[in-house]
Each structure stands twice: as structure tokens, then as C-alpha cells.
Amino acid sequence: MHTSKHDVLVIGGGIIGLVTAWRAAQRGLSTAVADPAPGGGAAHVAAGMLAAVTELQYGEQTLLDLNLASAARYPDFTAELSAATGLDTGYRRCGTLAVALDADDRAQLRDLHAFQTSLGLEAQWLSGRDCRRLEPLLAPGVRGGLRVEGDHQVDPRRLAAALLRAAELAGVRLLRSAVARVECAADRVTGAVLADGTVVAAGRTVLAAGSESGRIAGVPADVLPPVRPVKGQILRLRIPPTHAPFLSRTVRAVVRGSHVYLVPRENGELVLGATSEEFGWDTTVTAGGVYELLRDAHELVPGITELPLTETLAGLRPASPDNAPLLGRTALDGLLLATGHHRNGVLLTPVTGDVMAEVLTSDTGELPAYAGAFGAQRFAAARQEQTV
Ligand code: GLY
């Protein structure tokens, strides 16, 4: 039996777990990450839209502030990662165009524009013709759109690889095993036992296991985070040099009421996503999911059918009851959360790293003021009432 002792154990080596570990190690904390395949998780599937404005949802204005704060960190964050590792994250300041296909879609986008404007966000309304001037391969039927110059993209797989390397270089110990159970003694979490038998003792344990965070053995039921998996199916296509430039920016669309997005990368990859399905932990790619994505994308950009389809994949977004992240201390001493990021995990990675580093190193363990609305315990009272 191996034993390992650290200031901080992070359960989950996805981008949220890795950024937490990297930032903690940079602040001088001895840190380990437990994950059988670090650098994987939902980010391996995600498209990497950094679309705080284009993906704005009604009722999520508080989350918008955190999303914008994280988007603003991206240039320095990716520059720091690249300088530390020599790896490129694929951060691309290309802007986003959100378009509408029929009259109802156009009305929906007009409402979104009014909402964005009421919040002081920058988004420019364009006619269908102006949309096609920007992106000539859009279908003639496109009725109008929103040009959002501040919404960019990153390549989540490259981001994960860079975070993994940065964490290692900062001294983070990678424990390539699943967690068998979290260990508690005298009403505090003391670390975890891994599936390979390693016993990890830690002053603080951070649960950053994405959609698995709500079912980690050993965590008392009333402390387990209320996180549910939301499945997203996604496709990857390749733009041959003969077809470039295919799209010059991210294109999002409402196509007869359903949402689809196309994220073109500089390396010729085109990511097409994504479904949103609540079917538990199932990650099957279905004919129906692929059909719907291709059908909608084809209505939007007919030339898509000529491109080689290179990958179909499904992943699980970790969603909290209000779709915003759960950060910081739980009711159980020694246990913290960094999970529940739902549709915004990639976008929120830089700010999550900063928040968690602050919580892990401050005397009080409080969240910084800008993240105060995203405390890990904000659903605890309601859950206790439900169990009484
Ligand atoms: N933010 C894009 C998605 O979750 O599909």
C-alpha cells in the first residue's frame, strides 16, 4: 500500500481540476491530482466557444458577470500557459456570428439582442445580406444575425494538454487512478483512498470530478454536490485546404428553434455541436443526435456535407440546479468543490483557477467578492429541508 501526503488533493484531472491544482501549486501548496486519465473529461469533447455574450441566457445575469470576468482573463491566461509550457492552446480572437434562419428564429435573436443591449453588452445587428458578406458560405435563407466581436474560442484539448503540463512543471503530483472513496475522520475529510490502493492524506480535498462529482463514495449524502450530467453530442469535420477558408469565425444559429454552432479552428478542424440531453450518464452517440446536428448545420451552411467527418463523440456537462458553478468550502471541513460549470466549463477555467487559489490560500477560506454568488453551499439549506 502506497501512501502520499499533500496540502491539497484534487479529485478529477479535467480542466477545472488541473487549473485548480496548477494555481494551488504556484502558491506553494503541495498538490496532487487523482484521475486515471488526466487531461480528459468533458473538455475532450467540448468545442471551446468562449461565448459569454452570444450564449447569454435569461435569468443568468449574475453568471454573466463571472463569464465576462473569465473571458477577460483569457489572453493573459493562455499567454502564461504557453510561456510556461511551450504549448499552444489554440486561443483565437475570431469573434462570433449568431444567425437566424426563419422568422421565428429571427424574432428570438432580436429578443436576445434587446436583452444584451439592456445589459450594456456589445452586439451588432446585421441583415441577412451583411451576415453573408462576412461569411459567404451561409445559406441564402439566413434572415439576420448578431455580430459579437468579443466572443472568441480556444481548443479545449490543447488547453487541457497545456494545463496538464503546466501542473506537472509546477510540481503537481499526478496520481493516475480513480478515487475509491473519500476518507472522513472526526467530521472532516482527510483525503481519499484510490482504486489502486494508494492512501492519499490531504489537508484539503477539492472535488472537481465534473458530472461524477455528485456520486463520489465516502462523501455524506447531504454534502454531495447537486450536479447532474447533461449529455452533449458533437461532431468533428475537417476542412481540406481546397475548401479553406470555410468560415472565418464561430457561427451559432437558431435553426427552426434548435441551436447549433460551428467552431472553425486555424488547423482546419471544424467542430459542430451540440445536443443537450438529460439521460443520466449515457455517452452513446446516436443516429438521431448526429442527424439533427447535420440537418441543422446543412440548412445553415449547405457546403458542410462535402467535408470529411472525422469524429463523433458525446460528453457530459456537469450541471448544478442553477447551471452555475459550485465553488469553495462545503459544510464538511476539509472538503471543497469546483464543479457544476455546465455549458461554461471552458470559459470559466481561468477565473475558477483564481477563485480556488484564493480560497485555498486565504486565512478565512472565503470566496473572493466577485465569486460570492457561486458558493458551494448555496443549495445545502434547501436539500436539508427536503430530507427532513
Ligand atoms: N457551451 C457550449 C455547450 O455547452 O454546448
Side-chain angles (χ1 to χ4, degrees):
M1 182 178 72
H2 294 92
T3 55
S4 165
K5 197 167 182 327
H6 301 275
D7 296 325
V8 177
L9 167 65
V10 180
I11 298 178
I15 52 175
I16 295 297
L18 288 173
V19 79
T20 300
W22 180 41
R23 291 307 195 195
Q26 283 181 318
R27 301 251 189 144
L29 297 171
S30 125
T31 305
V33 170
D35 193 315
H44 186 71
V45 183
M49 271 188 304
L50 306 175
V53 177
T54 333
E55 290 208 324
L56 176 66
Q57 305 285 322
Y58 298 99
E60 293 186 0
Q61 289 93 313
T62 311
L63 178 58
L64 169 70
D65 290 339
L66 195 70
N67 287 344
L68 290 172
S70 204
R73 282 164 163 78
Y74 247 98
D76 288 348
F77 176 72
T78 49
E80 184 186 350
L81 264 180
S82 295
T85 63
L87 299 174
D88 181 18
T89 61
Y91 178 56
R92 187 176 173 201
R93 299 170 75 120
C94 59
T96 297
L97 181 67
V99 300
L101 263 177
D102 69 14
D104 289 342
D105 301 334
R106 189 171 184 277
Q108 205 185 109
L109 212 53
R110 277 278 192 203
D111 285 350
L112 176 65
H113 188 219
F115 184 41
Q116 290 165 336
T117 308
S118 74
L119 296 172
L121 300 170
E122 297 229 353
Q124 182 192 4
W125 182 263
L126 299 181
S127 66
R129 181 178 299 184
D130 284 341
C131 290
R132 280 188 299 282
R133 221 171 260 142
L134 279 183
E135 296 297 342
L137 294 190
L138 286 176
V142 165
R143 298 272 187 127
L146 285 173
R147 182 177 184 171
V148 179
E149 287 301 275
D151 279 356
H152 302 305
Q153 61 159 290
V154 71
D155 183 335
R157 291 179 179 178
R158 288 178 169 196
L159 177 67
L163 279 169
L164 185 59
R165 185 84 190 109
E168 281 184 296
L169 290 170
V172 172
R173 174 130 185 242
L174 297 176
L175 303 166
R176 293 175 188 267
S177 175
V179 166
R181 64 175 186 280
V182 161
E183 289 277 88
C184 291
D187 284 341
R188 72 169 286 127
V189 166
T190 55
V193 178
L194 307 189
D196 66 5
T198 305
V199 176
V200 190
R204 262 84 50 83
T205 298
V206 180
L207 202 43
S211 62
E212 294 291 330
S213 302
R215 54 177 194 174
I216 300 284
V219 180
D222 58 343
V223 180
L224 276 171
V227 172
R228 66 186 198 282
V230 179
K231 177 177 170 181
Q233 302 191 48
I234 207 157
L235 315 178
R236 281 177 165 76
L237 300 98
R238 192 167 49 77
I239 303 168
T242 45
H243 288 62
F246 195 79
L247 295 172
S248 63
R249 72 202 69 223
T250 300
V251 174
R252 233 192 112 78
V254 202
V255 181
R256 309 199 197 298
S258 54
H259 293 262
V260 66
Y261 49 79
L262 295 103
V263 182
R265 302 212 198 286
E266 266 162 357
N267 66 6
E269 183 177 76
L270 179 68
V271 186
L272 165 50
T275 64
S276 189
E277 305 160 66
E278 306 230 7
F279 291 138
W281 279 269
D282 166 53
T283 51
T284 313
V285 176
T286 63
V290 174
Y291 166 73
E292 280 171 29
L293 290 172
L294 285 175
R295 179 197 63 200
D296 294 345
H298 176 249
E299 274 217 65
L300 189 68
V301 184
I304 195 117
T305 48
E306 292 172 22
L307 303 181
L309 176 63
T310 54
E311 191 178 6
T312 60
L313 203 55
L316 300 170
R317 306 174 184 91
S320 73
D322 62 5
N323 298 330
L326 297 156
L327 304 174
R329 293 184 308 178
T330 66
L332 190 58
D333 275 351
L335 185 70
L336 295 88
L337 302 183
T339 187
H341 293 69
H342 195 216
R343 299 181 70 87
N344 298 304
V346 179
L347 173 60
L348 289 172
T349 295
V351 80
T352 299
D354 291 349
V355 170
M356 295 308 292
E358 184 107 7
V359 169
L360 288 165
T361 53
S362 80
D363 291 339
T364 61
E366 296 295 327
L367 291 170
Y370 62 86
F374 306 101
Q377 300 184 47
R378 68 184 183 278
F379 298 107
R383 297 179 91 208
Q384 264 164 11
E385 274 165 25
Q386 277 169 14
T387 52
V388 172

